[in-house]
Amino acid sequence: MNPIYLDYNATTPVDPRVADAIGTALREWWGNPSSSHAYGRAAHDAIEAARGQVAALIGATPEEIVFTGGGSEASNQAIKGVCLTRPRGLVARLFTKAMPHVITSAVEHPATAKPLEYLRKLGIRVTVLDVDRHGLVDPDDVRRAITPRTRLVTVMHSNNETGTLMPVRDIGTICRERGVLFHTDCAQSVGKVPVDVREMSADLVTVAGHKLYAPKGVGALFVRKGVELEPLIHGAGHESGRRAGTENTPYIVGLGVAATLFREGEAPAEPMGGGSAGASPSQLRDRLHAALLAKLGDRISLNGHPERRLPNTLNVNFHGQIGPKLLEQVPRIAASVGAACHEPKQGQVTVTPSAVLCAMRVPPDISQGAVRLTVGRYTTEAEVDEAAELLLAAVGDSRLKP
């Protein structure tokens, strides 16, 4: 019997319809998209069709979509591309005396935080904004942090650990008013909630294929028309000169199909491992939370905003527990924790609290019991009910142990 998969924020299974499209592309559209002959044109046309599908999903135009090797590459391209682009004309002369300034939040994914660490070493100034206890950035903090040197604000749309949805529309409006570029990482959002780049006033948006029931190794970056970026990968003029490297036609085709499935709201196909579609993600999430609350009461607490969060994400602290050890007791559940577990030499387990939960000021003795439970397209009510029973049993057993 397969484990109950409750780790959809880590990755999603490839939808069988996406897999079928990839298979077709592997067999039929294997030509080099840059070649001018019939085989190249067939691959090129397949990529352009996918470009239109991804653009339609997020409210962009096809020419504003750059295909990448994944979400991390897309965010690196956005952040480094903005900061390493040399401004022209009068602006260029103004920037010769000082490096650009970037604003971000304390709860970003490493795909944003690590590129900013690298840019810091080059002398670029980075302001990291605090979040409240729900993990939200205050748009007024963004407004106050902007200086004449600010070139970019990068704040994620939804947090990968807690699911909290940031006020990106307000932040984007502030950036547009101040003439500052705005990047938002929508890797966790696309495929779970509607994303519209125009409503967000976003200039750059990250999309990750494997969070959208497409394969790992493919993603996209929305680049608003008129925004100039230094390429992250230099070479030939692929992707209109914005990302060198022969395009991965089959996976791009798969991403396009995945985008269309979500945009059109089609019912899930039968998953590879069996099962069937049931309640909505938010219903399943709330059903699981209610079952845990009914038995544990104030012995669990929610991480993230109670309403403004992804419909599939439940991050809770099991008080008096250590998240990794709790999950070890329930191998039937495939889930993640909100902390990094380490095994010291003496054999005792210690937990380094999640940087996200630390930024939200969750006490360490509470956050060490954090577990992230995320449902998805193929999760059933029966699985949620069984997962709740298994977790409750594990908590009960651990309380009896010396």
Side-chain angles (χ1 to χ4, degrees):
M1 185 180 294
N2 291 328
I4 299 169
Y5 189 67
L6 296 178
D7 207 15
Y8 279 82
N9 280 16
T11 196
T12 57
V14 177
D15 188 291
R17 294 163 291 187
V18 172
D20 289 344
I22 292 171
T24 298
L26 284 167
R27 291 187 298 271
E28 299 183 12
W29 304 319
W30 46 264
N32 189 319
S34 298
S35 298
S36 59
H37 50 63
Y39 295 101
R41 288 196 300 273
H44 175 271
D45 291 347
I47 289 173
E48 293 312 305
R51 200 184 307 279
Q53 290 170 309
V54 174
L57 176 61
I58 62 174
T61 60
E63 59 270 21
E64 294 175 312
I65 300 298
V66 179
F67 288 117
T68 68
S72 291
E73 183 189 319
S75 289
N76 271 261
Q77 171 69 81
I79 295 165
K80 294 176 182 174
V82 168
C83 292
L84 300 180
T85 296
R86 185 174 178 82
R88 300 175 181 175
L90 175 61
V91 176
R93 290 194 294 273
L94 292 173
F95 271 85
T96 55
K97 296 182 179 179
M99 293 292 251
H101 172 232
V102 181
I103 299 168
T104 190
S105 84
V107 294
E108 296 299 311
H109 189 277
T112 291
K114 292 298 183 180
L116 290 174
E117 286 183 16
Y118 167 76
L119 292 172
R120 261 202 195 97
K121 296 175 183 177
L122 302 183
I124 290 173
R125 190 164 70 86
V126 179
T127 296
V128 180
L129 300 178
D130 290 334
V131 295
D132 66 15
R133 64 189 182 90
H134 296 309
L136 286 169
V137 169
D138 186 339
D140 286 335
D141 288 346
V142 175
R143 189 191 306 276
R144 286 188 288 267
I146 292 175
T147 75
R149 299 289 182 186
T150 305
R151 194 178 296 183
L152 177 70
V153 172
T154 175
V155 174
M156 65 193 344
H157 184 206
S158 59
N159 187 265
N160 49 297
E161 290 191 29
T162 66
T164 293
L165 291 164
M166 294 290 190
V168 291
R169 184 181 301 181
D170 294 338
I171 294 171
T173 298
I174 291 167
C175 291
R176 187 61 52 86
E177 290 171 351
R178 300 290 293 273
V180 175
L181 294 177
F182 176 46
H183 165 250
T184 183
D185 177 358
C186 290
Q188 284 294 346
S189 307
V190 176
K192 299 183 181 76
V193 294
V195 171
D196 189 311
V197 298
R198 307 300 175 193
E199 288 184 2
M200 294 176 174
S201 296
D203 300 289
L204 300 147
V205 171
T206 293
V207 177
H210 76 107
K211 312 289 188 179
L212 185 61
Y213 302 89
K216 300 161 189 65
V218 65
L221 177 65
F222 161 75
V223 183
R224 183 176 58 79
K225 185 178 180 181
V227 173
E228 294 186 9
L229 298 179
E230 179 67 24
L232 183 65
I233 300 174
H234 295 86
H238 307 92
E239 293 297 288
S240 300
R242 297 176 294 187
R243 197 270 189 184
T246 302
E247 293 90 346
N248 184 348
T249 305
Y251 278 20
I252 290 172
V253 167
L255 177 57
V257 171
T260 294
L261 290 174
F262 181 75
R263 185 171 66 88
E264 296 181 352
E266 293 192 19
E270 186 75 8
M272 296 177 184
S276 60
S280 69
S282 60
Q283 290 172 325
L284 292 167
R285 177 200 68 189
D286 293 344
R287 183 185 183 103
L288 178 56
H289 194 191
L292 296 173
L293 275 174
K295 294 291 185 180
L296 297 177
D298 60 6
R299 286 186 285 148
I300 65 167
S301 54
L302 179 69
N303 293 317
H305 198 281
E307 288 93 30
R308 291 186 55 164
R309 59 188 161 119
L310 293 173
N312 77 316
T313 303
L314 178 65
N315 189 312
V316 289
N317 305 304
F318 290 85
H319 297 191
Q321 304 292 321
I322 296 176
K325 296 297 289 183
L326 180 62
L327 289 179
E328 282 179 11
Q329 296 180 66
V330 281
R332 174 95 172 98
I333 298 175
S336 298
V337 299
C341 180
H342 303 279
E343 294 284 349
K345 292 181 179 179
Q346 62 267 35
Q348 296 180 346
V349 176
T350 61
V351 175
T352 302
S354 151
V356 171
L357 299 187
C358 287
M360 293 164 55
R361 294 176 288 283
V362 180
D365 61 322
I366 300 296
S367 66
Q368 70 176 0
V371 174
R372 184 185 68 179
L373 304 162
T374 53
V375 301
R377 183 172 289 176
Y378 305 121
T379 309
T380 65
E381 292 180 345
E383 287 180 322
V384 163
D385 293 342
E386 183 181 353
E389 292 176 3
L390 290 169
L391 287 166
L392 290 169
V395 171
D397 288 345
S398 66
R399 287 171 63 83
L400 297 175
K401 293 179 181 179

